Amino acid sequence: MNMTNQNINLSNEIPDKEPERQYYYIEKAKEYIQKKSQEIGRPLTFCVTTFGCQMNARDSEKLRGILLEIGYIEASEDIADFVIYNTCTVRENANTRVYGRLGQLKPRKKKNPNMMIGLCGCMMQEPEVVEKLKKSYGFIDIIFGTHNIFKFAELIVTRLESQRMIIDIWKDTDQIVEDLPNERKYFFKSGINIMFGCNNFCSYCIVPYVRGRERSREPQAIIREIERLIADGVVEVMLLGQNVNSYGKNLEQPITFAQLLQEIEKIDGLERIRFMTSHPKDLSDELIEVMGNSKKICKHLHLPVQSGSTRILQKMNRRYTKEQYLELVDKIRKAVPDISLTTDIIVGFPGETEEDFQETLDIVRKVRYDSAFTFIYSKRTGTPAAVMEDQIPEDVIKDRFDRLLNEVQTIASEVCAVHEGTTQQVLVESVSEHDSSMVTGRLSNNLLVHFAGSEELIGQLIDVHLTECKGFYYLGEKI
Ligand code: SAH
Ligand code: SF4
Ligand code: F3S
């Protein structure tokens, strides 16, 4: 499915247009890598390690696609000749982990003359990070950002021809390069970017600064990609964007997310549609109606609430109140009664009082989420919240975090159990990690079920009876 152009002549002029230019560089890199492999008498290997969200995971598939095309072979990180970290900076601890791992790579690079280290992703969009890397991590080979990931092959060639650290970071872009190679992690399901960037500027969040302004892909390009994926064995797609509910607004011919979903629903061979993330402020009645009528959209909605306190929501610049959020949840549950709702919650936002926190506990009790990601507020330099007064002491946050987690988990295990005894369709994803005579499948509502079966079932949709709920997952039997 990768559209490599077999007729590239490296003695021709380098194309200006994308993606042709990158296919030229892929060919060129291929030559270098073949030569190197012959010299050392073995293939060169790579490993892309991903930090952060599904958007980053999808970007990593693009990097892997290019590297495989060039002639690298995939290997585990501890032996790979080319190690790439696709980084995240949404919370401080994501950054700390990257620096820690870079420290461990340094001695390996000294020993292996063919070793290269590449860094990309959201962290690289922060000028302070790149300064620090230049100063204290001079052994890195290639640094690039989120906007020019499509240029990976070109950057590799530049590095191979120059023998110095290559840094290429763009502040923003309006360019979307289509039709480059990518190598999926699963043959039966795939993430698909439908838009890039974010315009919301929630006051705690660094994403709009590192991912740039919102840009939607043309619906035809999305549909073409999905059709190709289906021809290649995919049955489930996850449509990706920081705020999918505002999809299409900036296109020359505007289209809503609900309309896009209806077009995607028509594609033959596609069985399941998921999407993330939805911002509550932009979730339309039209979308709720489409979800209610759809046969393919999965019965799961991730709807980050962040806080239950209207006062804090306002300081977070989320642009909805606690009441509006609860009304939305009611509407969705009316239209799709068996939908599973999940969320993200931040604890310890500047100025959060015990009363505000009680409001968060209250909304958790009212909505009864199937699961919730809970985060301790992390101060991100450059965001409005970083300079707000009243940053909350660590011990207070930790205490609130523990109480919230307890509440979330108790409710989640109760909610999960309601499907016990029913029969549901699952998509088999893998052999079970704990027992090789079992496989693991995913329900429409995103919960996992383990049942007796073997590898051939992977990628198939199968009816499974849910015999026993184990808190956050099920044991079942194939019908
Ligand atoms: N676009 C998505 C979220 C992307 S970031 C949305 O709006 O829902 C994923 C989650 O990380 C957010 O929902 C939020 O809960 C959390 N997060 C973002 N910035 C954070 C910060 N500074 N500290 C702690 N958690 C944060
Ligand atoms: Fe961050 Fe808000 Fe954009 Fe989500 S919607 S990425 S939380 S700014
Ligand atoms: Fe992290 Fe970037 Fe995603 S900051 S959460 S990897 S968009």
Side-chain angles (χ1 to χ4, degrees), residues 185-253:
K185 191 164 167 201
Y186 303 97
F187 70 87
F188 52 87
K189 67 170 186 177
S190 179
I192 311 236
N193 301 107
I194 62 165
M195 58 201 299
F196 302 92
C198 181
N199 286 354
N200 289 310
F201 292 94
C202 302
S203 64
Y204 50 82
C205 184
I206 200 160
V207 170
Y209 304 88
V210 295
R211 286 270 169 178
R213 292 298 63 73
E214 206 170 279
R215 304 172 300 285
S216 295
R217 282 177 75 193
E218 290 292 339
Q220 297 82 348
I222 297 169
I223 288 167
R224 198 170 68 216
E225 182 176 356
I226 297 177
E227 286 170 346
R228 265 195 237 132
L229 287 166
I230 288 169
D232 203 40
V234 164
V235 290
E236 177 180 305
V237 293
M238 164 80 91
L239 310 175
L240 298 171
Q242 291 300 351
N243 177 13
V244 291
N245 304 117
S246 70
Y247 169 80
K249 284 186 182 153
N250 55 5
L251 287 172
E252 236 166 72
Q253 285 178 308

Coordinates of all heavy atoms in Angstrom, one line a residue, residues 185-253:
K185 N 1.0 -0.7 13.4 CA 1.3 -1.6 14.5 C 0.4 -2.9 14.4 O 0.8 -4.0 14.7 CB 1.1 -0.9 15.8 CG 1.6 -1.6 17.0 CD 1.7 -0.7 18.2 CE 1.9 -1.5 19.5 NZ 1.5 -0.7 20.7
Y186 N -0.9 -2.6 14.1 CA -1.8 -3.8 14.0 C -2.3 -3.8 12.6 O -2.6 -2.8 12.0 CB -3.1 -3.5 14.9 CG -2.7 -3.3 16.4 CD1 -2.6 -2.0 16.9 CD2 -2.5 -4.4 17.2 CE1 -2.3 -1.8 18.2 CE2 -2.2 -4.2 18.5 CZ -2.1 -2.9 19.0 OH -1.8 -2.7 20.3
F187 N -2.5 -5.1 12.0 CA -2.9 -5.1 10.6 C -4.4 -4.9 10.5 O -4.9 -4.6 9.5 CB -2.5 -6.5 10.0 CG -3.3 -7.7 10.5 CD1 -4.5 -8.0 9.9 CD2 -2.9 -8.4 11.6 CE1 -5.3 -9.1 10.4 CE2 -3.6 -9.5 12.1 CZ -4.8 -9.8 11.5
F188 N -5.2 -5.0 11.6 CA -6.7 -5.0 11.5 C -7.3 -3.7 12.0 O -8.5 -3.5 11.9 CB -7.2 -6.2 12.4 CG -6.7 -6.2 13.8 CD1 -7.3 -5.5 14.7 CD2 -5.5 -6.9 14.1 CE1 -6.8 -5.5 16.0 CE2 -5.0 -6.9 15.4 CZ -5.6 -6.2 16.3
K189 N -6.5 -2.8 12.6 CA -7.0 -1.5 13.0 C -6.0 -0.5 12.9 O -4.8 -0.7 12.8 CB -7.5 -1.6 14.5 CG -6.5 -1.8 15.5 CD -7.1 -1.5 16.9 CE -6.0 -1.6 18.0 NZ -6.6 -1.3 19.3
S190 N -6.5 0.8 12.7 CA -5.5 1.8 12.5 C -6.1 3.2 12.9 O -7.3 3.4 12.9 CB -5.3 1.9 10.9 OG -4.4 3.0 10.7
G191 N -5.2 4.0 13.4 CA -5.5 5.4 13.7 C -5.4 6.2 12.4 O -4.7 5.8 11.5
I192 N -6.2 7.2 12.2 CA -6.2 8.1 11.1 C -6.3 9.5 11.5 O -7.2 9.9 12.2 CB -7.5 7.8 10.2 CG1 -7.7 6.4 10.0 CG2 -7.4 8.7 8.9 CD1 -7.8 5.9 8.6
N193 N -5.3 10.3 11.1 CA -5.4 11.7 11.5 C -6.5 12.3 10.7 O -6.5 12.2 9.4 CB -4.1 12.5 11.2 CG -3.0 11.9 11.9 OD1 -2.1 11.3 11.3 ND2 -2.9 12.1 13.2
I194 N -7.5 13.0 11.3 CA -8.4 13.8 10.5 C -8.1 15.3 10.6 O -8.5 16.1 9.7 CB -9.9 13.5 10.8 CG1 -10.2 13.9 12.3 CG2 -10.2 12.0 10.6 CD1 -11.7 13.9 12.5
M195 N -7.4 15.6 11.6 CA -7.0 17.0 11.7 C -5.7 17.1 12.6 O -5.3 16.1 13.3 CB -8.1 17.8 12.4 CG -8.5 17.3 13.8 SD -10.1 17.9 14.3 CE -9.9 19.6 14.3
F196 N -5.0 18.2 12.5 CA -3.8 18.4 13.3 C -4.0 19.7 14.1 O -4.8 20.6 13.7 CB -2.6 18.6 12.3 CG -2.4 17.4 11.4 CD1 -3.0 17.3 10.2 CD2 -1.7 16.2 11.8 CE1 -2.9 16.2 9.3 CE2 -1.6 15.1 11.0 CZ -2.1 15.1 9.8
G197 N -3.2 19.8 15.1 CA -3.2 21.1 15.9 C -4.4 21.3 16.8 O -5.3 20.5 16.8
C198 N -4.4 22.4 17.5 CA -5.5 22.8 18.4 C -5.6 24.3 18.5 O -4.6 24.9 18.6 CB -5.3 22.1 19.7 SG -6.6 22.4 20.9
N199 N -6.8 24.8 18.5 CA -7.0 26.2 18.7 C -7.6 26.6 20.0 O -8.1 27.7 20.2 CB -8.0 26.7 17.6 CG -7.3 26.8 16.3 OD1 -6.1 26.6 16.1 ND2 -8.1 27.1 15.2
N200 N -7.7 25.6 20.9 CA -8.6 25.9 22.1 C -7.8 26.6 23.3 O -8.5 27.3 24.1 CB -9.2 24.6 22.6 CG -10.3 24.1 21.7 OD1 -11.1 24.9 21.3 ND2 -10.1 22.9 21.3
F201 N -6.6 26.4 23.4 CA -5.8 27.1 24.4 C -6.4 27.0 25.8 O -6.7 28.0 26.5 CB -5.6 28.6 24.1 CG -4.6 28.8 22.9 CD1 -5.1 28.9 21.6 CD2 -3.3 28.8 23.1 CE1 -4.3 29.1 20.5 CE2 -2.4 28.9 22.0 CZ -2.9 29.1 20.7
C202 N -6.7 25.8 26.2 CA -7.1 25.5 27.6 C -5.9 26.0 28.4 O -4.7 25.8 28.0 CB -7.3 24.0 27.8 SG -8.6 23.4 26.8
S203 N -6.1 26.7 29.5 CA -5.0 27.5 30.1 C -3.9 26.7 30.7 O -2.8 27.2 30.9 CB -5.6 28.5 31.1 OG -6.1 27.7 32.2
Y204 N -4.1 25.4 30.9 CA -3.0 24.6 31.5 C -2.2 23.9 30.4 O -1.2 23.3 30.7 CB -3.6 23.5 32.4 CG -4.8 22.7 31.7 CD1 -4.5 21.7 30.8 CD2 -6.1 23.1 31.8 CE1 -5.5 21.1 30.1 CE2 -7.1 22.5 31.1 CZ -6.8 21.5 30.3 OH -7.8 20.9 29.6
C205 N -2.7 23.9 29.1 CA -2.2 23.0 28.1 C -1.2 23.5 27.1 O -1.4 24.6 26.6 CB -3.4 22.4 27.4 SG -3.0 21.1 26.2
I206 N -0.2 22.7 26.9 CA 0.9 23.1 26.0 C 0.7 22.7 24.5 O 1.4 23.2 23.6 CB 2.2 22.6 26.5 CG1 3.4 23.4 26.0 CG2 2.4 21.1 26.3 CD1 4.7 23.3 26.8
V207 N -0.3 21.8 24.3 CA -0.5 21.2 23.0 C -0.6 22.3 21.9 O 0.0 22.2 20.8 CB -1.6 20.2 23.0 CG1 -2.0 19.7 21.6 CG2 -1.3 19.0 23.9
P208 N -1.5 23.3 22.1 CA -1.6 24.3 21.0 C -0.3 25.0 20.6 O -0.1 25.4 19.5 CB -2.6 25.3 21.5 CG -3.3 24.6 22.6 CD -2.4 23.6 23.2
Y209 N 0.6 25.1 21.6 CA 1.9 25.7 21.3 C 2.9 24.8 20.5 O 3.7 25.2 19.8 CB 2.6 26.2 22.6 CG 1.7 27.1 23.4 CD1 0.8 26.5 24.3 CD2 1.7 28.4 23.2 CE1 0.0 27.4 25.1 CE2 0.9 29.3 24.0 CZ 0.0 28.7 24.9 OH -0.8 29.5 25.6
V210 N 2.7 23.5 20.8 CA 3.7 22.5 20.2 C 3.1 21.8 18.9 O 3.8 21.2 18.1 CB 4.2 21.5 21.2 CG1 5.0 22.2 22.3 CG2 3.1 20.7 21.8
R211 N 1.8 21.9 18.8 CA 1.2 21.3 17.6 C 0.6 22.3 16.6 O 0.1 21.9 15.6 CB 0.1 20.3 18.1 CG 0.6 19.0 18.7 CD 0.8 18.0 17.6 NE 1.5 16.8 18.1 CZ 1.8 15.7 17.4 NH1 1.4 15.7 16.2 NH2 2.5 14.8 17.9
G212 N 0.6 23.5 17.0 CA 0.2 24.6 16.0 C -1.3 24.7 15.9 O -2.1 24.1 16.6
R213 N -1.7 25.5 14.9 CA -3.1 25.8 14.7 C -3.8 24.6 14.1 O -3.2 23.8 13.4 CB -3.3 27.1 13.8 CG -2.9 28.4 14.4 CD -3.6 28.8 15.7 NE -3.5 27.9 16.8 CZ -2.4 27.8 17.5 NH1 -1.4 28.6 17.3 NH2 -2.3 26.9 18.5
E214 N -5.1 24.6 14.3 CA -6.0 23.6 13.8 C -6.0 23.5 12.3 O -6.2 24.5 11.6 CB -7.4 23.9 14.3 CG -8.3 22.7 14.4 CD -9.6 23.2 15.1 OE1 -9.6 23.3 16.4 OE2 -10.6 23.4 14.5
R215 N -5.8 22.3 11.7 CA -5.8 22.1 10.3 C -6.5 20.8 10.0 O -6.2 19.8 10.5 CB -4.4 22.0 9.6 CG -3.5 23.2 9.9 CD -2.1 23.0 9.4 NE -1.4 21.9 10.0 CZ -0.9 21.8 11.3 NH1 -1.1 22.9 12.1 NH2 -0.3 20.8 11.7
S216 N -7.6 20.8 9.2 CA -8.3 19.6 8.9 C -7.8 19.0 7.6 O -7.5 19.8 6.6 CB -9.8 19.9 8.8 OG -10.3 20.3 10.0
R217 N -7.8 17.7 7.5 CA -7.5 17.1 6.2 C -8.8 17.1 5.3 O -9.9 17.1 5.8 CB -7.1 15.6 6.4 CG -5.7 15.5 6.8 CD -5.4 14.0 7.1 NE -5.2 13.2 5.8 CZ -5.2 11.9 5.8 NH1 -5.4 11.2 6.9 NH2 -5.1 11.2 4.7
E218 N -8.6 17.1 4.0 CA -9.7 17.0 3.1 C -10.5 15.7 3.3 O -9.8 14.7 3.4 CB -9.3 17.1 1.6 CG -8.7 18.5 1.2 CD -9.8 19.5 1.2 OE1 -11.0 19.2 1.1 OE2 -9.4 20.7 1.3
P219 N -11.8 15.7 3.3 CA -12.6 14.5 3.5 C -12.2 13.4 2.5 O -12.1 12.2 2.8 CB -14.0 14.9 3.4 CG -14.0 16.3 3.0 CD -12.7 16.9 3.2
Q220 N -11.9 13.8 1.2 CA -11.6 12.8 0.2 C -10.3 12.1 0.5 O -10.2 10.9 0.3 CB -11.4 13.5 -1.2 CG -12.7 14.2 -1.8 CD -12.9 15.6 -1.2 OE1 -12.3 16.0 -0.2 NE2 -13.8 16.3 -1.8
A221 N -9.3 12.9 1.1 CA -8.0 12.2 1.4 C -8.2 11.2 2.6 O -7.6 10.2 2.6 CB -7.0 13.3 1.8
I222 N -9.1 11.6 3.5 CA -9.4 10.7 4.7 C -10.0 9.4 4.1 O -9.6 8.3 4.5 CB -10.3 11.4 5.7 CG1 -9.5 12.6 6.3 CG2 -10.7 10.4 6.8 CD1 -10.4 13.5 7.1
I223 N -11.0 9.6 3.3 CA -11.8 8.4 2.8 C -10.9 7.5 1.9 O -10.9 6.3 2.1 CB -13.1 8.9 2.1 CG1 -14.0 9.4 3.1 CG2 -13.7 7.8 1.2 CD1 -15.2 10.2 2.6
R224 N -10.1 8.2 1.1 CA -9.1 7.4 0.3 C -8.2 6.6 1.2 O -8.0 5.4 0.9 CB -8.3 8.4 -0.6 CG -7.6 7.8 -1.8 CD -7.1 8.9 -2.7 NE -6.0 9.6 -2.0 CZ -5.7 10.9 -2.2 NH1 -6.5 11.6 -2.9 NH2 -4.7 11.4 -1.6
E225 N -7.7 7.2 2.2 CA -6.8 6.5 3.1 C -7.5 5.3 3.8 O -7.0 4.2 3.9 CB -6.2 7.4 4.2 CG -5.3 6.7 5.1 CD -4.6 7.5 6.1 OE1 -4.8 8.8 6.2 OE2 -3.8 7.0 7.0
I226 N -8.8 5.5 4.2 CA -9.5 4.4 4.9 C -9.8 3.3 3.9 O -9.6 2.1 4.2 CB -10.8 4.9 5.5 CG1 -10.5 5.9 6.6 CG2 -11.7 3.8 6.0 CD1 -11.8 6.6 7.2
E227 N -10.1 3.6 2.6 CA -10.4 2.6 1.6 C -9.1 1.8 1.4 O -9.2 0.5 1.3 CB -10.9 3.2 0.3 CG -12.3 3.7 0.4 CD -12.8 4.5 -0.7 OE1 -11.9 5.0 -1.6 OE2 -14.0 4.8 -0.8
R228 N -8.0 2.4 1.3 CA -6.7 1.7 1.1 C -6.4 0.8 2.3 O -6.0 -0.3 2.2 CB -5.6 2.7 1.0 CG -5.3 3.0 -0.4 CD -3.9 3.6 -0.5 NE -4.0 4.9 -1.2 CZ -3.5 6.1 -0.8 NH1 -2.9 6.1 0.4 NH2 -3.7 7.1 -1.4
L229 N -6.7 1.3 3.5 CA -6.5 0.5 4.7 C -7.4 -0.7 4.7 O -6.9 -1.8 5.1 CB -6.8 1.3 6.0 CG -5.7 2.4 6.3 CD1 -6.2 3.4 7.3 CD2 -4.4 1.8 6.8
I230 N -8.6 -0.6 4.3 CA -9.5 -1.7 4.3 C -9.0 -2.8 3.3 O -9.0 -4.0 3.6 CB -10.9 -1.3 3.9 CG1 -11.5 -0.5 5.2 CG2 -11.9 -2.4 3.6 CD1 -12.7 0.3 4.9
A231 N -8.6 -2.3 2.2 CA -8.0 -3.3 1.2 C -6.8 -4.0 1.8 O -6.5 -5.1 1.4 CB -7.6 -2.5 -0.1
D232 N -6.2 -3.4 2.8 CA -5.0 -4.0 3.4 C -5.4 -4.8 4.7 O -4.5 -5.1 5.5 CB -4.1 -2.8 3.7 CG -2.6 -3.3 3.9 OD1 -2.2 -4.1 3.1 OD2 -2.0 -2.7 4.8
G233 N -6.7 -5.0 5.0 CA -7.0 -5.8 6.1 C -7.6 -5.1 7.3 O -8.0 -5.7 8.3
V234 N -7.7 -3.8 7.3 CA -8.2 -3.1 8.4 C -9.8 -3.2 8.5 O -10.4 -3.1 7.5 CB -7.8 -1.6 8.4 CG1 -8.6 -0.7 9.3 CG2 -6.3 -1.5 8.7
V235 N -10.3 -3.4 9.8 CA -11.7 -3.4 9.9 C -12.2 -2.3 10.9 O -13.4 -2.0 11.0 CB -12.3 -4.8 10.4 CG1 -12.1 -5.8 9.3 CG2 -11.5 -5.2 11.7
E236 N -11.2 -1.7 11.7 CA -11.6 -0.7 12.7 C -10.7 0.5 12.5 O -9.5 0.4 12.4 CB -11.5 -1.3 14.1 CG -11.7 -0.3 15.2 CD -11.6 -0.8 16.6 OE1 -12.2 -1.8 16.9 OE2 -10.8 -0.2 17.4
V237 N -11.3 1.7 12.5 CA -10.5 2.9 12.4 C -10.7 3.8 13.6 O -11.8 3.8 14.2 CB -10.7 3.8 11.1 CG1 -10.2 3.0 9.9 CG2 -12.1 4.2 11.0
M238 N -9.7 4.5 14.0 CA -9.8 5.5 15.1 C -9.5 6.8 14.5 O -8.3 7.1 14.1 CB -8.8 5.1 16.2 CG -8.6 6.2 17.2 SD -9.9 6.4 18.5 CE -9.2 5.3 19.7
L239 N -10.5 7.7 14.4 CA -10.3 9.0 13.8 C -9.6 9.9 14.9 O -10.2 10.1 16.0 CB -11.6 9.6 13.3 CG -12.4 8.7 12.4 CD1 -13.7 9.3 12.1 CD2 -11.6 8.3 11.2
L240 N -8.5 10.5 14.5 CA -7.7 11.2 15.5 C -7.7 12.7 15.3 O -7.5 13.2 14.2 CB -6.3 10.7 15.5 CG -6.0 9.3 15.8 CD1 -4.6 8.9 15.6 CD2 -6.4 9.0 17.3
G241 N -7.8 13.5 16.4 CA -7.6 14.9 16.4 C -7.7 15.4 17.9 O -8.3 14.7 18.7
Q242 N -7.1 16.6 18.2 CA -7.2 17.1 19.5 C -8.6 17.5 19.9 O -9.0 17.5 21.0 CB -6.3 18.3 19.7 CG -4.8 17.9 19.7 CD -4.4 16.9 20.8 OE1 -5.2 16.6 21.7 NE2 -3.2 16.4 20.7
N243 N -9.4 17.8 18.9 CA -10.8 18.2 19.1 C -11.6 17.9 17.8 O -11.9 18.8 17.0 CB -10.8 19.8 19.4 CG -12.2 20.3 19.6 OD1 -13.2 19.5 19.7 ND2 -12.4 21.6 19.6
V244 N -11.9 16.6 17.7 CA -12.5 16.2 16.4 C -13.9 16.9 16.2 O -14.3 17.0 15.0 CB -12.7 14.6 16.4 CG1 -11.4 13.9 16.3 CG2 -13.6 14.1 17.6
N245 N -14.5 17.4 17.2 CA -15.8 18.0 17.0 C -15.7 19.3 16.3 O -16.7 19.8 15.8 CB -16.5 18.3 18.4 CG -16.6 17.0 19.2 OD1 -16.0 16.9 20.2 ND2 -17.3 16.1 18.7
S246 N -14.5 19.9 16.1 CA -14.4 21.1 15.3 C -13.8 20.8 13.9 O -13.4 21.7 13.2 CB -13.7 22.2 16.0 OG -12.3 21.9 16.1
Y247 N -13.8 19.5 13.6 CA -13.3 19.1 12.3 C -14.0 19.8 11.1 O -15.2 20.1 11.2 CB -13.5 17.6 12.0 CG -13.2 17.2 10.6 CD1 -11.9 17.0 10.1 CD2 -14.3 17.1 9.6 CE1 -11.7 16.7 8.8 CE2 -14.0 16.8 8.3 CZ -12.7 16.6 7.9 OH -12.4 16.3 6.6
G248 N -13.2 20.2 10.1 CA -13.8 20.7 8.9 C -14.1 22.2 8.8 O -14.4 22.7 7.7
K249 N -14.1 22.9 10.0 CA -14.5 24.3 10.0 C -13.6 25.1 9.1 O -14.1 26.1 8.5 CB -14.4 24.8 11.4 CG -15.6 24.3 12.2 CD -15.6 25.0 13.6 CE -16.8 24.4 14.4 NZ -16.6 24.4 15.9
N250 N -12.3 24.8 9.0 CA -11.4 25.7 8.3 C -11.1 25.2 6.8 O -10.2 25.7 6.2 CB -10.1 25.9 9.0 CG -9.4 24.5 9.4 OD1 -9.9 23.5 9.0 ND2 -8.3 24.6 10.1
L251 N -11.9 24.2 6.4 CA -11.7 23.7 5.0 C -12.4 24.7 4.0 O -13.3 25.4 4.4 CB -12.4 22.4 4.8 CG -11.6 21.2 5.4 CD1 -12.5 19.9 5.3 CD2 -10.3 21.0 4.8
E252 N -11.8 24.7 2.8 CA -12.4 25.6 1.8 C -13.9 25.3 1.6 O -14.7 26.2 1.4 CB -11.7 25.4 0.4 CG -11.1 26.7 -0.1 CD -10.1 26.4 -1.2 OE1 -10.6 26.0 -2.3 OE2 -8.9 26.6 -1.0
Q253 N -14.2 24.0 1.6 CA -15.6 23.7 1.6 C -16.0 23.0 2.9 O -15.8 21.8 3.1 CB -15.9 22.7 0.4 CG -15.9 23.3 -0.9 CD -16.2 22.3 -2.0 OE1 -15.5 21.3 -2.1 NE2 -17.1 22.6 -2.8

